[in-house]
Amino acid sequence: MFESKINLEIKVCMGTGGIAAGGTEVLAAFDSALKERDIQAKLQMGCSMHKVGCRGLCAKDVLVDVIINNSKSTYQYIKPEMVQRIVDEHIVGGNPVADWLVADDYHNFYKKQVKVVLSDCGNIDPENIDSYISAGGYKATEKVFKSMSPEDVITEIKKSGLRGRGGAGFPTGVKWEACRGVQSEQKYIICNFMDRAVIEGNPHAVIEGMVIGAYAIGASKGYVYIRAEYPLAVERLKLAIKAAKERKFLGNNILDSSFSFDIKIKLGAGAFVCGEETALIAFIEGQRGMSRAKPPFPVYQGLWGKPTVINNMETLANIPYIINKGADWYSSYGTEKSKGTKVFALTGKVKNTGLIEVPMGITLREIIYDIGGGIQGDKALKAVQIGGPSGGCITPDMLDINVDYESLAKVGSIVGSGGMIVLDEDDCMVNVAKYFLSFTQAESCGKCVPCRIGTKRLLEMLDRITKGKGKEGDIELLEKLSSDVKAASLCGLGQTAPNPVLSTIKYFREEYEAHLQGKCPAKVCRDLLTYYIIEELCKGCGACLRACPAGAITGEKKKPHHINRQLCIKCGACFDVCKFKAVGRE
Amino acid sequence: MTNSIREIEGMEVIFIIGSNTKETHPVIANRMIKAYRKGAKIIVADPRKVPMVRFAELFLNLRPGTDVALINGIAHVILKEDMYDRHFIDEKVEGFEEWKKSVEEFTPEYVEKITGIPKEDIIKAARLYGNSRRAGIFYTMGITQHTCGTDNVNAIANLALLTGNIGREFTGISPLRGQNNVQGASDAGCLPNVYPGYQRVDLPEIKHKFEKAWGVSLSQNAGLKATEMIPAALEGRLKAMYIMGENPVITDPNIHHTVKALKSLEFLVVQDIFMTETAELADVVLPAACFAEKDGTFTNTERKVQRGRKAVNPPGEARDDIFTIMEISKRLGYPMDYNSPEEVLEEFGKLWPALAGIKYNRIEKHGIQWPCPTNDHPGTEYLYKGGFPRGKVHFTPTQYTPPAEIADKDYPFILTTGRNLFQYHAGSMTRRVEPIESHAGEPYVEINPSDSERLDIKDGDMVKVVSRRGNIEIKARVTRMVSEGVVFIPMHYREAAANILTNDSALDRHVKTPEYKVCSVRIEK
Amino acid sequence: MPKVTIDGRTIEVPTGTTVLDAAKMLDIPIPTLCYHPKLTPFGGCRLCIVEIKGIPRPVTSCTTPVSEGMEVTTSTPQIEDLRKTVLELILSDHPNDCMVCERAGDCTLQELAYFYGIRENRFAGERRIYTKRDGNPFIERDLEKCILCGRCVKVCDEVQGVGAIDFGYRGFKSKICTPYEKDLDCEFCGQCVAVCPTGALTGKLWAFKGRQKDIKEIDTVCPYCGTGCNITLHIRRNEVVRVTSREDTWNEGWLCVKGRFGYKFISSSDRLKKPLIKRNGQFEEVSWDKALDYIAEKLNDIKSKYGADAIGGLSSARCTNEENYLFQKLMRAAIGTNNVDHCARL
C-alpha cells in the first residue's frame, strides 16, 4: 500500500496547553500505533515524530500535524483514543479524517499573523537542538562570529528598528550601543521573563539572542530570569543551555573564537515588579526584588554596579531572525516608528483566544474580527484592554487605530506586556479597573509611598464605588490620586498602575457616574443589583425557590413567586436557573 | 593607636589579630565594615571564630598563644617574596639583617605546625598585607595577655616596619584600648616606672623636673606594678593599698590568691561607685561620682582628649575623685589646690609638651589628638609623620615560646577568656542595667560541638571547669565559635568568675601582664 | 566638578554629589523622610522630588547625581501638591496618637505634617494593624507607625553589618521584619532606633521617661570601651533618662548596646552614698571628715612604720585624666612612692 519512499512527519503540540490537554499521551499513542503496524520500520529514516511547542491556539489542543510528503493536515481536539483511526485511515489509508481536521476558524486565526519570533514555535522540537539547527538555528551566531564585529551587530539591530518588547519600547540597538560604550571589565546581559511560549517552543532562539547581544555589548555573563511556576519552560531552557554548550554555541570560546559567554538561570517566584529592570537586578543580586531609582541606568551601573543590558525574551528571540534575514527584511514589517512584529495574548470575550504574532501597525479591528473571529455570542464589543494590568482600554470607535507604540500611547494605552483583553457589554468597566488595580496593588514592592499606599487607596475607592458607597467627588479624587501616583512613583509599576483607572474614567465616565447613582449598567456589581420576579412571566415552577441559598424566595406552586429584598444576597442563582426569564435584575 | 579611627575607612587591608572587635569595640568595627563596603580586605587571626570573620577575606584560626609564630611566618613570606619596603627600612630602621635571620626558621610549613593554620593561608595573608601600603594592624588583649605579650607586640611592630605601614595616613599599629580612659590613665603617669607623659622615674633630670614642679622630693625607687602588688601584699612587703575605681578581685588572675592578699593588708581604702567585691574587703570605702556626675577629660584609644561633662548630681554624699584626692593629700600634709579640673589639665600640659596645647575651650565640641604642643596646633591624627622621634627604630627579634600552660592529660583544654558584646569588664556597671542583664546575664563556657559530643555535654548543661587554681560551675554553650580543644569563658560574671581559673603565676616577662588568654583546664560533667 | 543651578543659584560640586546634597550646600531646604546622610539613598518616600529641566517627570533629589549644567527647581505648585499627597498617604496609614507617642516633638513625620498643614485626610482608609510581639528587652517596635522608609534596614546592613531585618511581603502589607519572620538575631546596638524618623522604633528603657519638655541634653563621652564615642545624656530631674549620639560627632552617631542602653547603673539604688568604715567586720556610715581623717592617720602611720613603699595605689582606667594625674601625684608627692598602677593590662 505505501512505499518506503514516503516521508511522514507527525507533530504533536506539547506546550503547557498541549500537555494539559493530553499531548504526551497522544504522542505515545501515535508511537505505539505506528509500531503496532510496523510502519516505523518500513519507513525507516523517512518517519519522524516529535513534540512541538505552542502555536498559539491552545483552545483547540491537542493539535496534531500529519505531514505526508510535504502535504500537511492539521487535526484539532485530538485525544489518544482517536489516534488509531488517524493512523488507519490517513497514514495507512491515505484519506485524512475529515471530521477531525481543523476548520476555517483555525486558518483564519493564522491568516493575518506574521510570525517571526514564533516562526519556529510549533514546528520544531524544543528539546532537540538539531531540530532548531535544521530550521536554520544558530546560523545567526555563526554569521556574527564569522563576519561581524560587535559594532556591525549593533548597527544592524539599530537599523532593524527593533524596540524593547515590553514596557516602554526603548530601541534595543541604542541600549546595546550605550552599554558597549561603557568601559568595564565586567558586563552583564539579563533576559527577563515574559511569555513562556517562546521558551517552551523555541528556547534556543532566546539563547542565540543572548549570545549575540553579549557579543555586541561585551558581556561574559548572562542571566535568564524565569518563573519557577513554569517548570516546563525551566526544563526546556536547561536542556537547551546544556545542548548549546555542547555544540560550542555557548560557554568558553564560542565557536572557537576568543569570546566566552555563559548563561545562568535565576528562578523567581513570579514577582510582577521584577518586570522593572532595577527590581530584577536587585533580585538577581540575591536581594528582595525591589525597584531602585534611575539614574543611574542599568546600562551604566546595573547588576553589582556593572553595566548591564536587560532585554526580555521576546526582544531577544527576534535577534537571530534579524541577523539571518537582515534589518531591511525586519523593518519591512510595521509602521514608521514601530518595526517588526509583536506577540499578543488575545483573551477575553473573543471567539479565538490564543497567542498571536502580528505586524506592528495592524488594526485592532483586524485582530479582533479576523484573527479573533469576533465577539463570543456576537455581543457588542465594549472595550479592549491592551498592555496588561498597567495598560489602558480602548473603545469600539477606535478599532481602526494601528496597534503600535505611538498610536496606543496616543489613546492612553501601551503595548506593555502584550496582553489584549476583549470586553463586551457584560463587563463593568469600574469592576475591570478594580480587577487590574487589585493585582498591581498587591504586587507593589512596597518601597515607595505613592505605589504602596496610593494604589491601595485607589483600590479602596473603586471598591467603595462598586459597592454603592461612592460619593460625589470620588471620580475627581480618583483622577487626582491616579495622576499623583503616576507622577510620584519610583518605578514603572507605580507609574502605570493607575492607567486602567484613568482610561476607564476617560472613556466610561458615565458608567462611574451611574455607580454613584447606585446602578451598575453592566449588571456586574452585585451590591448595586436588585433581583425581582416579573410576575407576568413567572410560571411558579419553584426552580428559583429551590436554588435560592438564602431562603429569600417565597411563593406557592404555579403562582408568581416573590423575592424578599431584605434576605436576598444577590448571588444571582435565581436569575441563572429561571427558564422563563422571569427573574429581572437592575 | 599610631593612627586614627577615621583612617580605617581609607585602608586597603585591615589585619585584626587577637581582637574581637565587633563585640569589644563595636563602633570601631562599624568603621571596618565601612571600609569593607569600600573594598578593603580584612584578615582576622583569632583562636575563636569571632563575628568580624563574617567580613574577612581570610580567617586565620590559630591555636591560642602562637601569635609570634604566625606574625613571624607572615614576615618570612614577605621577605622571601620581596614584598617589603626596602627604602623605608634603609631610611628609618636598624637591625634588619639580624632580625631577618631570626625569622628564617619561620617557614610556612613550620608555622603551620605551630599555629594549625594551613600554610597557603599564611602565604595569602602575607601577600595581602605585604603588597599593600595602606594596611593597618589592630589588636587588643588577645595579643598582650600572654607570657609572650611583649614579643607579640614587637613582632607586630616588626611587620609594620618591614612593609613601611607606619608613619603614613591609613596605616599603623592600633592597639584598641579596652576601657574609656586606659590611654589617659597611662598618659597621666599611673604607671610605676614613669611620670605623666611617659617620662621615666629613673632618669635624674626627669625626677628633678617633677620635684621642681611639685615642690617636693620624689622617690627614686622603682614602683610595683599592679600584678606585683598582690604578691607583695602576701609577702608582707606591701601594707596598705588605696584603690580608686578598680575591682582586682574579679579582674585579676586567680581570685583566691587576690582575696587572700588583700585580706592580708593592714589597711585598704577603696573608692568606687558600687560596693564591689574588692570594696567589701576594704577598711574604708569612699563613695565616688560616676562619669556623668563630674567634669573632666578622657583620652580615647586614638589619643583623642575629649570632654566629659557633669550631667547629674552624684547620689547622696558621693563626691568626685578630685575632691577626695585633694582632701586626703591635704591631710597627708601636701595640700593640692585646684579650683577646677581644667587647672589640673593645665598643670599636666606644662609637664608634658604633647598635651600643652589642649585646653578645655579648644575641645568643647570636638576632641584633639595628642601630641598637640601649642595652642594653635591642630593635634596629630597619626604619629611618626616626619620620622621616628629618636631617628631610627629597631627591629626586635622575637622567638616563639609556648604559653606557660599547655593542654595535657589532666587538663586537656585550653581556656581563653575575654569579653562579650553585652557586658563590660567586672560587670559592676552593665550588670546593673536590667535589659542587658535579662538578655546576657548568665555566665557560660563556649565549647566546640565535637568536644561536647565526646564529653556527652549538651547545650545548656551545667559543667564544672577545673584548673590548677580552682573550679567553677557554669552552663555550657555549644558553639563553633571555639575550635576543638579550646574553651572560652567571658570574664564578667562573679558567680562563675573566669579568674578563679586563670594563671596568676604566668606573667609577661617584661610588663607583667597576666596570661588570661591561655591556661589549661578540664571539663567535668 | 559639575555646575548645577538650583532655584536660580549656581554651585560647583564634586562629581557624584546628589541634587539633594548640592541643595543643602546652598541651604535650600528639601523635605525628606527616608533620606539619611550616612546611608545609601533609598528614594522611597518621594518627598524630595524636584523638577529638572529636560526630564519630563519629577525625580528624587536624593538619588539623582548632579550633572553639568543641570537646572533644578525644588519647589513648584505641582511639586508641593505631590508632596502633600504623599504625606497625606503616609498619614492615612499612621496612628493619630502623637499625644502619647514617644517621638512627639522629635518626629520628622509630625514636623512635615505640621509644615504642610495636614489636618483632614482625603485618603483615609484601611490602616495596618499589628499585634505587638516583642521578646527583646531593648527596642520597642510599633509597626503601625512604621512608614517603611528603610533606614533601619539599611543601617543594620550597611553600618552594623548584621542584616537582622529586611522588607517582607508586598504591596500594602509590606513590613519590616526578620527574614522569614524568624527570631530576631540582633546586636541591639539601637542604630535602627537612632535613625527611625517616626515613633516606630524606640528604646524600651526610655518609654514614658520624658520627651522634649524639661529635658536637658549634655554632651559627654561614653564610659565603656576605649573607642570614646561621643554621647549625649538626656537629663530630666537629675536623672539620665536616655542616651543618644549626635550625627556630627566623630562616631557619626553610632553606638553599641552598652553605650546606648547601658546607662541605668548611674541611677542604681546600689550606688554608694556615704563613706563607710569597717568596724568589727561591719561597715558603718561615717562623715567624710571622719573617713578622711582616719585614712590620713592610717596611711601616715604605715608610712612612718614601714616606709612609703609599703603603700600602693591602683588608679582607674575609667576615671578622668585629671583624676588620674592627681592620683599619681598623691602617691608620688604626698605619700612618696612610685607604687602606682592601673588596670591597663587587665
Side-chain angles (χ1 to χ4, degrees):
Chain A
M1 9 179 223
F2 53 78
E3 302 127 46
S4 52
K5 267 183 238 158
I6 280 178
N7 218 327
L8 169 67
E9 196 179 1
I10 297 165
K11 296 178 178 180
V12 180
C13 183
M14 279 174 67
T16 297
I19 289 173
T24 315
E25 292 75 19
V26 170
L27 187 65
F30 270 105
D31 191 50
S32 64
L34 293 181
K35 268 192 190 134
E36 211 171 274
R37 295 211 149 227
D38 218 15
I39 293 169
Q40 258 172 319
K42 280 185 193 162
L43 288 168
Q44 290 174 339
M45 298 302 288
C47 173
S48 84
M49 201 165 47
H50 57 80
K51 52 182 86 166
V52 295
C54 179
R55 60 186 70 182
L57 205 54
C58 297
K60 295 191 183 296
D61 269 328
V62 177
L63 286 158
V64 176
D65 288 335
V66 176
I67 308 162
I68 300 174
N69 290 343
N70 290 326
S71 148
K72 181 165 97 177
S73 310
T74 303
Y75 291 97
Q76 61 186 3
Y77 307 121
I78 296 306
K79 302 260 172 292
E81 57 272 22
M82 298 157 78
V83 168
Q84 194 66 43
R85 189 174 155 198
I86 296 173
V87 172
D88 287 346
E89 294 182 14
H90 186 174
I91 298 174
V92 178
N95 300 313
V97 185
D99 300 351
W100 299 344
L101 287 174
V102 293
D104 282 350
D105 57 344
Y106 177 86
H107 296 295
N108 288 338
F109 183 73
Y110 292 106
K111 217 176 262 171
K112 291 215 168 169
Q113 292 195 47
V114 172
K115 298 223 174 186
V116 175
V117 171
L118 301 176
S119 57
D120 291 321
C121 284
N123 283 322
I124 60 161
D125 180 349
E127 294 177 11
N128 182 349
I129 191 170
D130 287 318
S131 179
Y132 178 62
I133 291 172
S134 64
Y138 287 111
K139 283 242 164 56
T141 307
E142 280 169 6
K143 183 176 171 186
V144 162
F145 279 83
K146 219 180 274 171
S147 62
M148 293 175 86
S149 69
E151 288 75 16
D152 292 343
V153 174
I154 289 171
T155 309
E156 192 71 6
I157 300 302
K158 273 170 75 179
K159 213 170 113 195
S160 76
L162 175 67
R163 293 167 64 173
R165 292 296 189 247
F170 192 81
T172 306
V174 175
K175 201 186 237 186
W176 287 10
E177 191 175 40
C179 192
R180 167 131 207 108
V182 186
Q183 288 295 318
S184 176
E185 76 285 2
Q186 179 73 59
K187 291 179 189 175
Y188 298 100
I189 185 166
I190 298 174
C191 170
N192 196 359
F193 187 80
M194 187 170 178
D195 38 330
R196 63 166 195 257
V198 178
I199 279 285
E200 283 179 6
N202 191 3
H204 286 288
V206 177
I207 294 172
E208 215 184 340
M210 283 183 82
V211 171
I212 295 168
Y215 174 76
I217 64 169
S220 63
K221 268 199 189 125
Y223 289 87
V224 179
Y225 170 73
I226 184 163
R227 294 171 57 169
E229 306 96 297
Y230 299 137
L232 185 65
V234 176
E235 206 39 54
R236 285 183 177 166
L237 182 62
K238 277 185 187 162
L239 277 174
I241 288 174
K242 191 161 165 268
K245 274 190 188 168
E246 282 164 10
R247 304 293 176 90
K248 304 215 90 174
F249 294 123
L250 186 66
N252 288 332
N253 303 100
I254 293 174
L255 297 176
D256 296 318
S257 70
S258 62
F259 183 77
S260 298
F261 173 67
D262 198 10
I263 294 177
K264 280 206 174 96
I265 296 178
K266 186 84 190 170
L267 292 183
F272 181 68
V273 72
C274 284
E276 164 66 26
E277 298 185 323
T278 54
L280 180 57
I281 285 172
F283 178 76
I284 291 175
E285 287 174 356
Q287 298 175 22
R288 173 183 165 88
M290 216 164 183
S291 307
R292 296 172 184 168
K294 293 187 274 191
F297 289 93
V299 289
Y300 302 108
Q301 278 177 49
L303 191 61
W304 289 298
K306 304 292 180 205
T308 304
V309 156
I310 301 174
N311 290 133
N312 75 31
M313 278 171 189
E314 190 184 334
T315 313
L316 287 168
N318 270 301
I319 302 294
Y321 300 99
I322 295 172
I323 296 291
N324 273 336
K325 298 186 179 173
D328 293 335
W329 162 80
Y330 189 78
S331 62
S332 68
Y333 295 107
T335 56
E336 194 199 335
K337 286 184 176 167
S338 304
K339 300 294 185 192
T341 59
K342 172 76 190 104
V343 176
F344 286 97
L346 183 63
T347 56
K349 305 284 178 60
V350 76
K351 280 178 187 159
N352 298 328
T353 60
L355 201 66
I356 62 169
E357 184 173 355
V358 290
M360 287 282 189
I362 191 173
T363 66
L364 206 48
R365 188 182 301 280
E366 288 173 286
I367 291 178
I368 291 169
Y369 289 96
D370 297 341
I371 297 173
I375 309 298
Q376 289 172 13
D378 294 318
K379 289 194 174 175
L381 171 71
K382 187 169 190 178
V384 188
Q385 162 80 15
I386 304 178
S390 320
C393 66
I394 284 172
T395 49
D397 55 312
M398 290 187 266
L399 274 183
D400 291 311
I401 66 159
N402 298 327
V403 174
D404 61 34
Y405 293 106
E406 283 68 32
S407 312
L408 287 178
K410 218 177 282 170
V411 296
S413 187
I414 54 171
V415 172
S417 62
M420 194 175 271
I421 302 174
V422 179
L423 305 165
D424 71 6
E425 57 196 54
D426 291 340
D427 291 304
C428 165
M429 296 315 286
V430 184
N431 199 48
V432 164
K434 189 173 109 179
Y435 170 79
F436 286 120
L437 201 70
S438 67
F439 174 79
T440 41
Q441 188 274 138
E443 290 291 328
S444 162
C445 80
K447 179 170 179 172
C448 81
V449 174
C451 180
R452 183 181 75 241
I453 310 178
T455 58
K456 169 77 177 173
R457 297 296 175 240
L458 287 173
L459 182 63
E460 285 173 346
M461 282 186 239
L462 289 172
D463 191 55
R464 271 204 312 266
I465 292 171
T466 58
K467 293 212 163 101
K469 291 176 186 154
K471 51 186 187 297
E472 212 182 313
D474 270 2
I475 300 171
E476 291 71 22
L477 194 58
L478 272 174
E479 287 177 311
K480 162 73 181 152
L481 184 54
S482 291
S483 77
D484 284 359
V485 168
K486 277 174 72 83
S489 284
L490 170 65
C491 82
L493 198 158
Q495 287 163 10
T496 58
N499 283 351
V501 183
L502 287 174
S503 79
T504 50
I505 294 180
K506 184 174 172 190
Y507 297 120
F508 299 94
R509 194 179 188 102
E510 70 290 345
E511 209 166 319
Y512 277 83
E513 280 161 357
H515 280 75
L516 293 187
Q517 305 303 322
K519 292 261 185 286
C520 175
K523 301 193 166 96
V524 170
C525 298
R526 190 198 271 194
D527 290 295
L528 300 182
L529 295 180
T530 45
Y531 286 84
Y532 55 92
I533 306 268
I534 305 163
E535 290 192 6
E536 307 84 76
L537 297 177
C538 182
K539 306 275 187 257
C541 70
C544 59
L545 189 147
R546 286 189 294 277
C548 179
I553 301 178
T554 50
E556 283 173 44
K557 266 206 162 168
K558 308 221 166 144
K559 281 188 182 159
H561 286 26
H562 175 73
I563 298 175
N564 181 339
R565 285 189 191 168
Q566 251 76 51
L567 296 177
C568 175
I569 57 164
K570 303 174 182 183
C571 67
C574 53
F575 186 86
D576 294 338
V577 85
C578 182
K579 288 183 202 139
F580 311 102
K581 294 195 188 313
V583 179
R585 69 176 172 192
E586 36 176 68
Chain B
M1 285 174 76
T2 58
N3 291 55
S4 299
I5 295 167
R6 175 195 64 82
E7 291 170 45
I8 293 170
E9 249 179 275
M11 290 179 186
E12 286 172 350
V13 174
I14 295 171
F15 182 14
I16 306 167
I17 178 162
S19 160
N20 180 5
T21 321
K22 192 93 179 73
E23 295 196 71
T24 59
H25 297 86
V27 175
I28 290 177
N30 288 353
R31 283 288 163 137
M32 292 174 171
I33 291 167
K34 213 167 167 186
Y36 163 82
R37 302 260 184 247
K38 289 183 177 176
K41 303 271 184 278
I42 296 176
I43 309 167
V44 175
D46 207 289
R48 292 169 72 218
K49 199 174 173 186
V50 292
M52 271 317 277
V53 172
R54 286 209 302 275
F55 306 93
E57 179 83 6
L58 189 60
F59 172 40
L60 309 172
N61 194 194
L62 81 176
R63 293 192 186 109
T66 61
D67 307 76
V68 166
L70 170 63
I71 299 162
N72 282 356
I74 290 173
H76 177 99
V77 177
I78 291 175
L79 280 165
K80 197 171 132 200
E81 299 194 359
D82 204 16
M83 296 181 276
Y84 61 99
D85 190 338
R86 207 176 305 248
H87 177 74
F88 180 88
I89 294 168
D90 285 348
E91 202 174 302
K92 296 180 175 165
V93 201
E94 282 170 348
F96 179 55
E97 292 305 324
E98 191 200 342
W99 169 76
K100 199 170 156 184
K101 273 189 211 105
S102 77
V103 295
E104 252 163 39
E105 64 171 311
F106 290 94
T107 61
E109 292 76 17
Y110 176 58
V111 174
E112 171 171 345
K113 237 177 255 161
I114 300 173
T115 60
I117 301 167
K119 61 174 192 278
E120 300 75 35
D121 285 354
I122 296 164
I123 295 169
K124 196 177 168 196
R127 287 178 184 158
L128 277 172
Y129 184 80
N131 280 324
S132 173
R133 292 298 173 262
R134 269 164 59 181
I137 307 180
F138 298 82
Y139 67 88
T140 58
M141 300 305 189
I143 282 297
T144 55
Q145 289 175 346
H146 290 282
T147 46
C148 58
T150 306
D151 292 335
N152 285 344
V153 172
N154 283 332
I156 287 173
N158 293 337
L159 199 58
L161 292 174
L162 180 64
T163 52
N165 274 317
I166 192 158
R168 281 179 297 110
E169 203 179 10
F170 314 126
T171 63
I173 304 170
S174 299
L176 304 177
R177 303 298 193 179
Q179 301 177 45
N180 82 330
N181 207 28
V182 176
Q183 185 68 50
S186 306
D187 295 348
C190 286
L191 294 168
N193 57 334
V194 290
Y195 295 121
Y198 308 97
Q199 305 177 70
R200 285 164 60 175
V201 297
D202 60 349
L203 297 177
E205 68 275 19
I206 300 287
K207 180 166 158 264
H208 182 70
K209 169 181 159 186
F210 279 89
E211 284 177 335
K212 207 178 143 198
W214 293 343
V216 63
S217 76
L218 297 171
S219 166
Q220 53 204 0
N221 303 338
L224 295 170
K225 298 186 173 72
T227 38
E228 292 169 328
M229 288 183 198
I230 300 300
L234 274 175
E235 290 162 22
R237 282 185 288 128
L238 200 68
K239 298 290 184 189
M241 278 186 84
Y242 176 13
I243 301 178
M244 174 174 84
E246 290 281 278
N247 191 6
V249 167
I250 297 295
T251 60
D252 277 23
N254 194 349
I255 286 180
H256 297 320
H257 196 84
T258 312
V259 170
K260 202 170 147 201
L262 293 178
K263 278 187 174 163
S264 71
L265 289 169
E266 274 184 27
F267 187 57
L268 174 62
V269 181
V270 173
Q271 185 169 316
D272 211 310
I273 62 173
F274 291 111
M275 182 59 81
T276 62
E277 291 74 5
T278 305
E280 275 165 17
L281 305 175
D283 297 291
V284 183
V285 176
L286 298 173
C290 79
F291 82 105
E293 295 152 0
K294 60 194 179 192
D295 283 305
T297 58
F298 297 97
T299 305
N300 78 348
T301 188
E302 51 172 355
R303 299 166 281 102
K304 189 185 281 172
V305 181
Q306 309 190 98
R307 266 290 258 127
R309 288 184 182 82
K310 181 173 173 172
V312 289
N313 295 321
E317 291 177 25
R319 300 297 301 258
D320 63 81
D321 299 320
I322 291 184
F323 163 85
T324 311
I325 295 166
M326 290 200 315
E327 288 297 321
I328 293 174
S329 196
K330 186 170 78 190
R331 284 169 168 78
L332 291 175
Y334 183 78
M336 300 184 191
D337 201 11
Y338 301 95
N339 292 313
S340 67
E342 197 172 354
E343 285 180 20
V344 180
L345 189 72
E346 241 161 70
E347 179 180 312
F348 187 2
K350 277 183 192 139
L351 290 164
W352 187 34
L355 228 51
I358 300 180
K359 302 282 156 55
Y360 273 35
N361 60 14
R362 290 190 67 193
I363 55 171
E364 281 303 322
K365 194 148 175 61
H366 300 289
I368 296 176
Q369 285 167 281
W370 64 252
C372 172
T374 56
N375 286 340
D376 54 2
H377 192 283
T380 307
E381 284 214 297
Y382 57 95
L383 301 176
Y384 318 129
K385 189 177 186 175
F388 297 105
R390 288 184 210 97
K392 286 194 170 188
V393 288
H394 270 272
F395 277 109
T396 316
T398 53
Q399 286 309 316
Y400 167 67
T401 45
E405 282 193 340
I406 49 172
D408 56 25
K409 200 160 72 14
D410 294 333
Y411 299 96
F413 285 93
I414 294 294
L415 166 70
T416 182
T417 67
R419 290 183 185 169
N420 65 28
L421 170 65
F422 295 93
Q423 300 284 2
Y424 176 75
H425 219 57
S428 62
M429 288 148 73
T430 45
R431 298 205 71 187
R432 288 185 168 86
V433 178
E434 189 275 322
I436 288 179
E437 200 49 13
S438 75
H439 187 73
E442 201 174 27
Y444 56 89
V445 54
E446 289 180 357
I447 180 167
N448 185 277
S450 53
D451 289 328
S452 69
E453 202 171 306
R454 200 159 33 77
L455 296 172
D456 193 26
I457 293 167
K458 278 181 282 304
D459 192 71
D461 282 357
M462 287 303 285
V463 295
K464 196 162 162 188
V465 184
V466 187
S467 82
R468 292 187 174 85
R469 267 82 41 203
N471 65 74
I472 57 174
E473 296 217 352
I474 192 165
K475 211 175 232 184
R477 182 180 283 183
V478 177
T479 169
R480 290 187 199 283
M481 277 274 277
V482 285
S483 314
E484 243 181 287
V486 178
V487 294
F488 169 83
I489 300 177
M491 65 179 289
H492 317 292
Y493 304 94
R494 77 188 78 82
E495 62 273 38
N499 284 328
I500 288 177
L501 307 169
T502 48
N503 191 353
D504 60 319
S505 60
L507 302 181
D508 178 86
R509 286 180 298 280
H510 307 278
V511 297
K512 310 297 177 197
T513 303
E515 190 157 58
Y516 290 112
K517 297 304 179 207
V518 192
C519 77
S520 49
V521 296
R522 68 168 175 267
I523 312 277
E524 295 172 4
K525 228 189 132 178
Chain C
M1 295 256 288
K3 264 195 204 119
V4 57
T5 305
I6 305 177
D7 293 347
R9 294 164 61 196
T10 303
I11 186 174
E12 202 172 312
V13 293
T15 310
T17 306
T18 63
V19 173
L20 181 65
D21 286 336
K24 273 192 178 168
M25 291 174 197
L26 288 168
D27 206 22
I28 295 170
I30 296 175
T32 58
L33 262 176
C34 68
Y35 167 82
H36 190 281
K38 305 287 187 227
L39 303 173
T40 56
F42 187 63
C45 78
R46 318 304 292 169
L47 284 173
C48 72
I49 47 170
V50 293
E51 276 178 12
I52 294 175
K53 199 170 166 188
I55 299 180
R57 56 168 48 250
V59 296
T60 41
S61 58
C62 70
T63 59
T64 309
V66 162
S67 60
E68 179 55 41
M70 194 180 253
E71 287 178 42
V72 181
T73 312
T74 65
S75 181
T76 65
Q78 197 223 345
I79 291 283
E80 294 300 345
D81 194 44
L82 283 178
R83 286 178 183 156
K84 196 168 179 220
T85 296
V86 167
L87 266 178
E88 265 186 78
L89 285 172
I90 295 172
L91 289 165
S92 74
D93 184 31
H94 193 88
N96 205 355
D97 65 355
C98 298
M99 288 81 78
V100 288
C101 180
E102 203 56 47
R103 288 296 296 273
D106 179 33
C107 169
T108 320
L109 182 60
Q110 191 188 39
E111 201 67 2
L112 286 165
Y114 164 80
F115 278 115
Y116 280 84
I118 294 169
R119 188 177 285 273
E120 304 292 311
N121 200 316
R122 290 169 289 171
F123 310 119
E126 183 191 333
R127 283 221 314 250
R128 294 163 301 153
I129 303 294
Y130 295 105
T131 35
K132 281 187 189 164
R133 198 191 59 178
D134 271 321
N136 86 77
F138 299 97
I139 298 167
E140 182 77 42
R141 290 187 310 160
D142 190 343
L143 285 179
E144 290 166 23
K145 288 179 184 166
C146 173
I147 58 167
L148 286 102
C149 69
R151 284 190 192 182
C152 52
V153 173
K154 279 180 174 288
V155 82
C156 192
D157 176 40
E158 292 173 10
V159 174
Q160 204 61 18
V162 172
I165 44 174
D166 202 345
F167 284 81
Y169 304 92
R170 294 201 168 271
F172 189 68
K173 294 194 186 83
S174 301
K175 71 169 177 176
I176 308 294
C177 55
T178 56
Y180 306 102
E181 296 224 56
K182 290 202 171 138
D183 287 347
L184 183 64
D185 184 9
C186 178
E187 293 180 355
F188 298 110
C189 61
Q191 248 72 288
C192 53
V193 175
V195 298
C196 180
T198 72
L201 296 172
T202 52
K204 281 189 177 161
L205 271 179
W206 51 82
F208 302 106
K209 290 279 187 182
R211 297 189 290 198
Q212 311 301 308
K213 195 167 160 54
D214 299 331
I215 295 281
K216 206 168 55 175
E217 292 184 14
I218 307 283
D219 295 333
T220 186
V221 182
C222 175
Y224 288 105
C225 79
T227 309
C229 296
N230 292 182
I231 58 174
T232 301
L233 303 178
H234 295 237
I235 313 298
R236 187 169 180 274
R237 298 189 174 187
N238 200 43
E239 189 193 346
V240 178
V241 294
R242 182 179 165 193
V243 172
T244 58
S245 182
R246 299 184 199 277
E247 260 169 46
D248 62 354
T249 56
W250 72 263
N251 47 298
E252 304 186 330
W254 312 134
L255 295 175
C256 74
V257 59
K258 297 183 286 281
R260 196 182 300 280
F261 297 111
Y263 60 84
K264 275 282 180 183
F265 73 91
I266 301 169
S267 54
S268 163
S269 57
D270 292 350
R271 284 289 299 273
L272 292 171
K273 297 180 190 74
K274 280 205 138 211
L276 305 168
I277 291 180
K278 197 183 270 169
R279 285 194 227 279
N280 308 318
Q282 292 293 314
F283 282 115
E284 285 175 15
E285 289 187 356
V286 295
S287 72
W288 270 98
D289 273 337
K290 203 160 182 186
L292 293 166
D293 288 345
Y294 180 58
I295 291 166
E297 181 197 322
K298 288 294 284 185
L299 290 178
N300 271 328
D301 208 29
I302 287 167
K303 187 175 160 186
S304 60
K305 222 154 114 197
Y306 307 103
D309 284 347
I311 302 170
L314 283 183
S315 162
S316 173
R318 281 172 294 270
C319 290
T320 63
N321 289 327
E322 292 79 1
E323 289 161 346
N324 275 299
Y325 175 85
L326 290 186
F327 188 84
Q328 62 86 34
K329 191 176 173 185
L330 173 84
M331 295 307 294
R332 290 189 160 112
I335 295 174
T337 179
N338 281 317
N339 287 343
V340 56
D341 204 351
H342 70 104
C343 67
R345 299 174 185 87
L346 312 178

